[in-house]
């Protein structure tokens, strides 16, 4: 069994227990993408905002599409 957790602002959030390391990693990427989008919404610089939105999204696409 594989556990996934992510930390943000000094707090650790348990994301679940998974059968494979790939599933655990997908859960971690999803959470990081969610947090990056929250930060992007607050960012006033449009370039930084777009970079935040794309940071984990690209990784998710690679994993979900088997790249």
């Amino acid at each position: 069994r594989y556990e996934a957790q992510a930390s943000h602002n000094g707090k650790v959030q348990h994301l679940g227990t998974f059968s494979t390391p790939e599933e655990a990693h997908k859960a971690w990427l999803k959470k990081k993408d969610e947090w990056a989008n929250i930060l992007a919404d607050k960012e006033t610089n449009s370039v930084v905002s777009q970079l935040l939105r794309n940071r984990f999204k690209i990784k998710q696409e690679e994993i979900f599409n088997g790249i």
Side-chain angles (χ1 to χ4, degrees):
R1 310 281 294 162
Y2 300 87
E3 291 189 26
Q5 61 184 22
S7 60
H8 180 67
N9 290 336
K11 295 181 181 178
V12 177
Q13 182 176 1
H14 179 73
L15 304 177
T17 304
F18 303 89
S19 299
T20 67
E22 292 82 11
E23 290 174 343
H25 187 65
K26 284 179 186 180
W28 179 85
L29 281 174
K30 184 176 178 182
K31 181 53 70 177
K32 287 295 194 175
D33 181 59
E34 178 185 319
W35 287 339
N37 280 303
I38 290 169
L39 288 174
D41 288 342
K42 296 177 182 179
E43 180 57 56
T44 57
N45 182 315
S46 62
V47 173
V48 173
S49 178
Q50 193 59 46
L51 289 169
L52 283 166
R53 289 186 196 288
N54 291 336
R55 174 64 180 101
F56 293 100
K57 179 181 174 185
I58 293 167
K59 293 286 187 189
Q60 282 189 50
E61 289 171 1
E62 289 174 1
I63 288 174
F64 295 140
N65 294 327
I67 298 172

